[in-house]
Amino acid sequence: MQTHQYDAIIVGAGGAGLMAALYASKGGANVAVVSKLYPTRSHTGAALGGIGAALGNLDEDKPLWHAYDTVKGGDYLADQNAAKVLAENAVDAVIELEHMGLPFDRTPEGRISQRRFGGHTSNFGEKPVRRACHAADRTGHMILQTLYQQCIKNDVKFFDEFHVVDVIMNQGACVGVVAIQLGTGEFHVFHGKATLFATGGWGRVWRITSNAHSLTGDGAAVVYRRGIPMQDMEFFQFHPTGLYGLGVLLTEGIRGEGGILLNKNGERFMEKYAPKIKDLASRDVVSRSIYLEVRDGLGIGGKDYVHLDIRPSTVNRYLAEAGETRRVDDAYIARALAETLDVCRTYAGVDPLTEPMPIQPTAHYAMGGIPTNVDAEVVMDENWTVLPGMYAAGEVACVSCHGANRLGTNSLVDLVVFGRRGGIKIAEYVKGADLIPLPANPAGEIEAEFKRLRTSKGKTRAYELRKQMQKVMMDNVGVFREESAMKEAVKQVQELRERYQTDLAFDDNGYQYNTDLMEAWELGCLLDLAEVTAISALNRTESRGGHSREDYQKRDDDNWLVHTLAYRKSEIAYPVTPPEVELNINKKVDMSLADEDPRFLPKERAY
Ligand SMILES: Cc1cc2nc3c(=O)[nH]c(=O)nc-3n(C[C@H](O)[C@H](O)[C@H](O)COP(=O)(O)OP(=O)(O)OC[C@H]3O[C@@H](n4cnc5c(N)ncnc54)[C@H](O)[C@@H]3O)c2cc1C
């Protein structure tokens, strides 16, 4: 086994990991990025619509309005100090990306172009504002390419196709990770003063998802198994517009450009549910509205999907109705939504310029995750106790600036803002901190676990268990939830975990690129996170943001303005026996903006 030593180890090479690596290295740290994917294949590259920042290039805008929308969109579960940092830091983060060479679309005057996105408004909810900065509909791709180039320029060392499978703790601190080199099957130990997790989300827990195959929540699961809590796991966002049957994301930018949702009678049904902001209401609201239409038999052809229409004739009709002077044509749509057109033509055989797109809600974004403060330091409890040496940023982290529901364009902001803050903090930390030695045999337990998996002589293939988990989580812990269905989900997930332990079978016993084995290992991570999600959801007896209960339909601010912290009780990480989950709901939501300005106090969300 090889051991590598760096000041800082960044796990994950998406937007958050690259930004953290860049800033840690700029601050003088010697940095290694360990990634299971080649960096530019990270899911950040799939982000389409844009990155929100109150630049005010086209409409008057202020960071405080952005913070307000973030808090309100998050249904008041967002920590307000974090939402403020997000909105304020967004402005110079975007300008910095521009200076690094990111090719943003431009206004005729040459400034960064901005467009509308759901839930983003001016003057505390008065009217929609153009805040999303974009490079056509490939914003994430451009961010990833730009940051990767900058990292190379700054001599960041990359370990590509190294799959992290365990975190190493010693003397109450995080001292590194264990990874498997996919090309050889060898174990490697990465030893450092600071380790930052930027491993992205876990949409693959659900059957219909916009998330790439690789989004299996490994980073969250490995730290959870070593005693780090998972925060607010009941909040998982379903994006309203996934391509029917596949879940592939159709960006909210389509509605930002004027796209309209229609039911089988051609009615613009969002007028019923959000009379003011209509199709641009926040994602939880739109996803629920689609479900309700479908439930009322108003899905297209009586099925479980509706239409999203971006045909210029439709868009122009509604623009005229709204008294707007703007008009669009085929050439404009083809340019502004190039990727969307390509995806629909390729995967659905639908040409959005001539026919409406079939869409249904798709599991999209983890609001919950590893709890951190605004400097990306991992915190262990309701007293914000920092765990030395461990950091998290991006989708895997829960800062929590998104609260119960994330607004579109705010994830890309989160990556660059908190990735950068984490990198800066790490550079400071490694200057003063001593290198804590590795414990004896740091990879021993995880090597034994892989040996056990590899020699498993059961009958079931991992994908069969995965399919069952995805189905029960989609049906029972999806857009709408209620007690008995969630209890059933917990039971089934626990049974699946039992079978995972005892009944797996493998076709491949090799060491080089053994995807059979690695996918099984990823399934173990998904099962842990599915269980924590269902248990946290069952415990929260209210509806808020992305967590919508039929048996508790109201938001309950008296009892539930708190974060959920879920801990795994067991002392041993491996083998992963069915973990008992312990919940703590004493971590209060930060209300610091409301202390100064009553407009930040929780109120009914009216659209
Ligand atoms: C289709 C789609 C469109 C989106 N559009 C937008 C948008 O327009 N605006 C917006 O704000 N947000 C958008 N989002 C959300 C946003 O893109 C993601 O939340 C964000 O990119 C996550 O970035 P990240 O850096 O946290 O992780 P990712 O970009 O997902 O990267 C994760 C990294 O972790 C690595 N990794 C994972 N597990 C391991 C392991 N075990 N060992 C080693 N490495 C590991 C991977 O190799 C990868 O490099 C979109 C998401 C999707 C899926």
Side-chain angles (χ1 to χ4, degrees), residues 13 15-16 35-37 42-44 47 49-50 164 218 365 395 409 411-412:
S35 174
K36 71 177 179 182
L37 301 175
S42 304
H43 192 72
T44 298
V164 168
D218 320 352
Y365 183 84
E395 191 169 336
T409 80
S411 172
L412 293 179

Side-chain angles (χ1 to χ4, degrees), residues 563-590:
H563 299 291
T564 306
L565 292 174
Y567 297 81
R568 181 164 179 262
K569 262 197 203 154
S570 171
E571 286 293 304
I572 36 164
Y574 296 99
V576 186
T577 45
E580 283 176 68
V581 180
E582 190 168 64
L583 299 177
N584 164 343
I585 51 165
N586 296 322
K587 192 167 183 242
K588 293 217 165 57
V589 174
D590 177 281

